[in-house]
Amino acid sequence: ALRRASRALPCPRLMPSGRFVRRGFSVVAAAASAGFANENREFVIVGGGNAAGYAARTFVEHGMADGRLCIVSKEAVAPYERPALTKGYLFPPDKKPARLPGFHTCVGSGGERQTPEWYKEHGIEVLYEDPVTSLDIQTHTLKTSSGKNLKYGSLIIATGCTAVRFPEGSGGSLPGVHYIRDVADADSLVSSLEKARKVVVIGGGYIGMEVVAACVGWKLDATIIFPENHIMPRLFTPSIGQKYEELYQQNSVKFLKGVLIDKLEAGSDGRVAAVRLKSGSVIEADTVIVGIGAKPVVSPFEAVGLNDSVGGIQVDSLFRTSVPGIFAIGDVAAFPLKIYDRMARVEHVDHARKSAKHCIGSLLSARTHPYDYLPFFYSRVFEYEGSSRKVWWQFYGDNVGDTVEVGNFDPKLAAFWLDSGSRLKGVFLESGSAEEFELLPKLARGQPLIDRSKLMSAPSVESALELARSSLHA
């Protein structure tokens, strides 16, 4: 989700990009070999998600990885395309589910599949299943959970987010209750789905929509529960939400909207058996998936400077923190969103990829142009074999202002967000063609003035998009 700051915070101290590179060299050259567990010390990436994988690729492209780069990850596998975990990974066995090594980074953007062997071939040191627990800025050292001491010249923080958990005292840690942030989480959920009969999904956002769609493929009794009045409230209008809810209901998904959960209850075997609502109603469930948001993993890096409005680690437009030689990228970074002149933190794979490339490219060169990100979100569900209707939507821009919706969702649907002056701020499209999807970022970045009355009377999605395209060129 795109999180906005109500006010801009002071930018951290800006340092010439070249200084970081020279400083990294000198620190590593001076470091004694004894006492440190990592052989590669010039650059250290903390985190093993999308951003880390794309950062590694950028180091390789610049010829600066071999013998110089170390990645420290809490996961047991090499970086992978995380969106697969709530999409293809959850397909039932007879519907060709995604599995590693099929979706290691950077296949999601058409790049090379970076398997563990790829990292070895490029001289990149990877420390698996050993998260960083402390940082010493003065000595340029890290300590991991296993007690290893690591040295760094330049440090890139790519720790991402962790799932917001349901309170343990309310049943949030019962067997059969699942959260999805990594492959181990997804494997555990698949194991439960293989035996499940009644599934409850808590949360009406991305995770909820995608997981409950996967449950349909397993032919399970599925209920989705959330406190808002419609699904995807941060992006969807009530009208758009209703259309998607009706599609899910046609696939036998049950909705409980506008309700609050009291607790998750265990059965006689200790596993989750029911969800009790504040109203006193009880919904039986042998498997519960909680998707109620995520929070940035800033520990143990608080000392480099946090953003108290959008959360995460404060960086400038080159992803530099207030501490020279330390950077933050991906979900954990609070950065200047240039196009809308505000601070933001974006939890999305597109930003993870692009922020990694921009940060590392700036670090390794004299390039100083600011990161200029255009917010982008998408979802793809019901894409397994035998599905009667595949869903694929994309959104670019900012969902502020009035909304004009065009199309009957059979299958296309478009929505345009216009400000008071009829300037386009954001655009949404369901089931578009490749050419139509390619138009969306051009519209969102160009922000053309559009004839509101003509747009409202457009007879089809195609004609509405053509009107917007012609406005862009006017």
Side-chain angles (χ1 to χ4, degrees), residues 45 47-62 69 71 79-83 103-114 118-119 156 158 329 349-361:
I45 299 173
N50 273 95
Y54 280 81
R57 179 175 75 170
T58 309
F59 274 109
V60 170
E61 290 171 345
H62 283 77
L69 176 61
I71 298 175
Y80 52 87
E81 304 284 358
R82 205 170 295 275
F103 58 96
H104 280 297
T105 56
C106 296
V107 297
S109 61
E112 187 178 359
R113 182 178 290 109
Q114 298 170 193
W118 181 90
Y119 290 89
I156 299 95
I329 58 176
V349 63
D350 182 61
H351 165 64
R353 295 167 179 164
K354 292 176 178 175
S355 64
K357 182 177 181 179
H358 194 93
C359 172
I360 306 308

Side-chain angles (χ1 to χ4, degrees), residues 157 159 296-298 301-302 304-307 311-315 321 327-328 332-335 345:
I157 303 168
T159 46
V297 179
V298 298
F301 306 105
E302 293 90 345
V304 305
L306 305 182
N307 184 301
I313 296 171
Q314 173 89 20
V315 297
T321 70
F327 305 78
V332 77
F335 65 97
R345 191 174 61 78

